[in-house]
Amino acid sequence: MTPRTLRGRLTLWYGGLLASVLVLFGVGFYAALARNLYRGVDQKLLALAEVVAESSVRNFLRPGYTNFSRLLEEFFGVPAAGQFIQVLDPSGKVGARSENLLLRNLPVSRETLHRALHGEMVYETVPDPGAPLRVLTYPVVVRGRVRNVVQVATSLEAVMTTLREVLLALGVGIPVSLFLVLWGGWMVAARALRPLEGLIAAVREVDADQLGARVLEAEGTEEVRELARSINGLLRRLGDAFRRVREFTADASHELRTPLTVLRGEAEVALRHPRSPEEYQRVLASGLEEIHRMGRIVEDLLLLAKGDLGEAPVERVPVALDEVLEDLAGRAAALAEAKGLAFHWAGGPPVWVEADPLRLRQLLWNLLDNAIKYTPEGGQIFLSHARSGPGWVRIAVKDTGIGIPPEHQEKIFERFYRVDKHRSRAQGGSGLGLAICRWIAKVHGGRIEVRSRPGRGSTFLVHLPEAKGNDEGWEARRLES
């Protein structure tokens, strides 16, 4: 069963990895030790067999000769125990043997004797009552013929004892080491995760009314401090989001309450005394105007809400931007003239963008409408467009109106934000127009910015990506349409 805590999982993973390493190390060490021990035994047997074979060649050995003690002592330097020697003739008959083989012979199979008679050395491990014997059957070759066969053997008791002791040490040492390391890992994980527990406790205390609280960033490792900084950043963004939601809710309520208050007040006044048809008509016209205003606010709110969720339908088709601007310039010029403003539109190069025609017109008309609203009589409005770089188009709406203070320029694209709320409401604005403009520009892969100086006017710049293709192809499409 997998532990549910990070501390338990870290300890389990570390313990599992360490156990695998220790087991692999133990198996490898045991196998290497056994191989080296057996190799050492085989090398000693081979050296002893060569000494015995040399003595046999010099006729040092006579049939029935059994005094190998001096030979073994000369070879090993000390009296050797557990060493066995016997010499066979080609028929397999024992010709000489060591004293410890007077009552028995070293086993030799027909296959082993056959291989030895063909000049091959044969190593075997044979069972013995005390401990297994390691036997080397060694051919003595004289003038190309196998004269005798020497068998030397030694007990593997020392090797087996060593291997058992090593196996016991590994069997005890590995679990003990694993337990100690797991215990240490558990403690280290607890110490390393202690700052996380503090973060968890601090975050649990945060609610919607305490989003200004912050967790400590000076405790723990760099990773924990980075997590604390990320949590504080998240809390900061959540606080800003909650603040905007509260402001948005308050502003939306106020914007909808104002026309409702006007409607109720005019209706109550109209019902206090009998009125003429003209007076009733005036009240109804005023009420209808307020209803239209509420309708525009609700539609704008719905559009922005769908835009936030990515559900607002946005069509992307090639649009001749210069034609759209030409059409909007004609409408704006009429409104500007009625207000006593000079409108300037000098045209521009044919430019195509991939956009939603309806949303593009909404974006540009909001900017033109604002420019006309906030420019006093005698002022000027300028509309232009041009390529601002490879693949980009810039649209500029400039006015000589009241301007925007620097501290408000980054906030005017927020919902319901107004520099002067009284003037905007009097002129019929809902405070959502520039927020919609920013959303439309963003959803088309562009951006919108403002440059303004109080009393000197404002310039709104819209940057949109140009439609991919060549001008000749777009012009042909324009002619077809």
Side-chain angles (χ1 to χ4, degrees), residues 391-445:
W392 285 92
V393 180
R394 182 184 64 198
I395 307 164
V397 178
K398 180 180 179 181
D399 62 60
T400 59
I402 58 178
I404 304 171
E407 64 271 17
H408 296 285
Q409 291 180 14
E410 292 296 327
K411 300 179 180 180
I412 60 173
F413 295 102
E414 297 178 4
R415 301 171 190 184
F416 291 120
Y417 187 86
R418 293 189 181 89
V419 178
D420 187 335
K421 296 183 178 181
H422 176 73
R423 174 163 48 241
S424 297
R425 191 172 294 116
Q427 293 177 344
S430 66
L432 297 173
L434 290 179
I436 293 176
C437 289
R438 182 176 63 177
W439 170 75
I440 294 175
K442 183 179 180 180
V443 81
H444 284 86

Side-chain angles (χ1 to χ4, degrees), residues 130-148:
L133 297 177
R134 186 66 171 171
V135 181
L136 169 60
T137 303
Y138 184 90
V140 180
V141 181
V142 178
R143 298 176 183 177
R145 294 179 59 248
V146 177
R147 177 180 175 181
N148 292 314

Side-chain angles (χ1 to χ4, degrees), residues 177-375:
S177 301
L178 183 60
F179 172 78
L180 293 176
V181 171
L182 286 178
W183 180 80
W186 179 265
M187 301 305 296
V188 171
R191 182 176 180 181
L193 295 176
R194 191 171 295 118
L196 288 181
E197 295 175 356
L199 289 179
I200 293 173
V203 172
R204 283 176 177 171
E205 296 178 357
V206 177
D207 55 24
D209 297 326
Q210 296 179 339
L211 292 177
R214 296 293 182 266
V215 298
L216 295 178
E217 300 180 3
E219 296 183 355
T221 62
E222 178 60 29
E223 292 80 5
V224 174
R225 289 195 293 270
E226 181 62 28
L227 177 59
R229 287 191 289 269
S230 300
I231 291 176
N232 286 335
L234 176 61
L235 292 176
R236 190 161 40 250
R237 291 190 295 273
L238 284 175
D240 293 340
F242 270 72
R243 177 183 55 80
R244 288 194 296 268
V245 168
R246 292 190 183 101
E247 293 176 353
F248 174 81
T249 303
D251 290 338
S253 300
H254 182 75
E255 291 296 330
L256 293 175
R257 185 170 61 247
T258 300
L260 288 175
T261 302
V262 173
L263 280 174
R264 187 177 63 182
E266 291 182 346
E268 290 175 351
V269 171
L271 293 176
R272 285 177 184 173
H273 305 285
R275 306 288 179 178
S276 64
E278 291 78 10
E279 290 178 325
Y280 283 124
Q281 186 175 9
R282 181 186 59 79
V283 171
L284 291 176
S286 176
L288 184 61
E289 182 180 350
E290 295 298 330
I291 292 174
H292 287 163
R293 183 167 178 267
M294 284 192 298
R296 287 196 302 270
I297 294 175
V298 172
E299 290 176 359
D300 291 344
L301 285 174
L302 182 60
L303 174 62
L304 289 174
K306 289 184 176 180
D308 291 340
L309 298 175
E311 298 177 355
V314 178
E315 186 181 10
R316 301 296 293 273
V317 297
V319 177
L321 179 61
D322 54 309
E323 293 183 355
V324 174
L325 292 174
E326 181 76 30
D327 179 53
L328 294 178
R331 297 169 54 190
L335 291 179
E337 183 179 357
K339 191 178 176 181
L341 305 176
F343 189 87
H344 302 276
W345 160 247
V351 176
W352 289 77
V353 295
E354 288 188 4
D356 185 313
L358 178 61
R359 299 304 176 199
L360 179 61
R361 287 176 174 271
Q362 185 178 10
L363 163 62
L364 298 175
W365 182 252
N366 280 348
L367 297 180
L368 290 170
D369 187 52
N370 284 345
I372 295 172
K373 284 180 181 179
Y374 299 112
T375 302

Side-chain angles (χ1 to χ4, degrees), residues 466-479:
E466 190 173 2
K468 297 180 180 179
N470 55 72
D471 293 340
E472 292 77 7
W474 295 127
E475 286 303 313
R477 181 165 183 167
R478 187 202 302 266
L479 293 175

